[in-house]
Amino acid sequence: MTQTPANMGTDIMRFARLDMHEVEEFRIEGRALAVDHLRGRDGAVRAGALLTMLDSAGGVCGGLASLPDGWVVSTNLSARTVSRAPTGPLRIDARLLRKGRNNVVTSVEIADAASGRAVMNGVLTSAVLVPENGPPVWNRPLRIGYPDDDDVDYLPMERWLDHRTVSARAVEMELRDTLRNPWGILHGGVTAALVDAAAEHVTGGGITTDMVLHYLAPNRVGPVRATAAVLGTRSDGTVLRVEIADVGTARVTAVAVVTVSWA
């Protein structure tokens, strides 16, 4: 593994098999293996895994753009699944769209490197904050990498999240330290993956094709619960509202609107 400061969510990026490098100012390129533990029942990389990659790459890109003033935390994520069944590896391209005093906006495109076919596109908005010990120090240009022959025996994604059924509408998971970001809170990509898991649970196995996720407050204590409700149907699938709550602090931490398709 190459240069990665401590406590930078590296367990999550490693699980997602995500390598990233800075190719020019305000642009990150990444590569991820479409390995079995990231795939769903249809053989394609799960939407939750793609959302985790999107949040990670977009967050690092926005974080680099916010230096030396601060680092970032996700506040809004919107993503659309374009196609399924990538053979992999996946190619990730993250670019800065806008930098303000208090926030940054990045675009992220994920494609199947073998075919060039788009898999997921998204936009991530992040708030710029100042960590207690100051912004991280990176060697530039940034490079984060993991060996392709990693000998870790990874659990399938649903077991890695280790979420459990609470009711017909809700699932929840413990907030393990390995799922926290540099701020000590639940990683934004893992939050998105839990939203995806709740949508799959309520629909009985549908595939998330569209998500707009608003991060309202940090998940600090856990367990973290995702409760989903069907709002209606339209031509491209079932639309659900998913609410995330930190049960330990008794507050709502995120709200999402998700479209689930059976195609």
Side-chain angles (χ1 to χ4, degrees):
M1 184 174 67
T2 57
Q3 30 174 309
T4 307
N7 301 318
M8 291 300 293
T10 53
D11 287 324
I12 295 161
M13 288 187 283
R14 187 164 193 160
F15 177 83
R17 311 304 297 129
L18 176 60
D19 296 344
M20 291 185 284
H21 62 281
E22 186 179 8
V23 294
E24 59 187 58
E25 189 176 31
F26 308 141
R27 183 182 172 198
I28 294 288
E29 285 188 355
R31 173 180 175 271
L33 300 176
V35 288
D36 288 345
H37 69 264
L38 300 179
R39 296 183 184 273
R41 285 174 289 186
D42 65 346
V45 176
R46 299 177 69 97
L50 296 171
L51 290 160
T52 301
M53 296 174 194
L54 190 155
D55 180 85
S56 296
V60 169
C61 182
L64 292 177
S66 71
L67 293 175
D69 300 321
W71 195 250
V72 295
V73 62
S74 302
T75 56
N76 186 80
L77 182 153
S78 61
R80 176 73 178 176
T81 299
V82 181
S83 65
R84 299 287 295 166
T87 58
L90 300 172
R91 185 181 70 247
I92 298 98
D93 188 356
R95 301 169 184 258
L96 179 71
L97 294 180
R98 183 176 67 83
K99 176 186 177 183
R101 177 176 298 179
N102 299 315
N103 60 61
V104 293
V105 182
T106 52
S107 69
V108 182
E109 298 179 355
I110 302 177
D112 180 12
S115 66
R117 183 172 58 181
V119 175
M120 177 178 281
N121 294 328
V123 174
L124 179 70
T125 301
S126 304
V128 179
L129 303 175
V130 180
E132 181 179 352
N133 297 320
V137 178
W138 296 91
N139 294 329
R140 308 288 292 272
L142 167 112
R143 180 173 291 274
I144 301 172
Y146 306 96
D148 287 354
D149 60 350
D150 193 337
D151 60 0
V152 176
D153 187 16
Y154 291 100
L155 294 171
M157 188 161 192
E158 62 273 19
R159 291 179 59 196
W160 177 72
L161 288 174
D162 198 25
H163 57 79
R164 55 187 175 270
T165 298
V166 175
S167 68
R169 295 179 49 208
V171 298
E172 72 177 27
M173 57 179 281
E174 297 301 325
L175 209 173
R176 307 191 311 273
D177 286 345
T178 54
L179 301 180
R180 297 178 188 268
N181 67 12
W183 302 95
I185 62 178
L186 185 64
H187 189 280
V190 179
T191 302
L194 185 61
V195 171
D196 173 62
E200 181 179 24
H201 169 63
V202 169
T203 59
I207 297 167
T208 297
T209 55
D210 186 88
M211 181 184 295
V212 177
L213 172 58
H214 301 282
Y215 300 89
L216 306 176
N219 293 288
R220 295 188 182 277
V221 178
V224 181
R225 181 174 297 176
T227 305
V230 174
L231 298 178
T233 59
R234 59 188 191 190
S235 60
D236 59 341
T238 301
V239 181
L240 303 96
R241 180 185 185 275
V242 182
E243 183 177 284
I244 300 291
D246 185 340
V247 177
T249 59
R251 65 175 176 177
V252 175
T253 56
V255 176
V257 175
V258 179
T259 301
V260 171
S261 172
W262 290 93

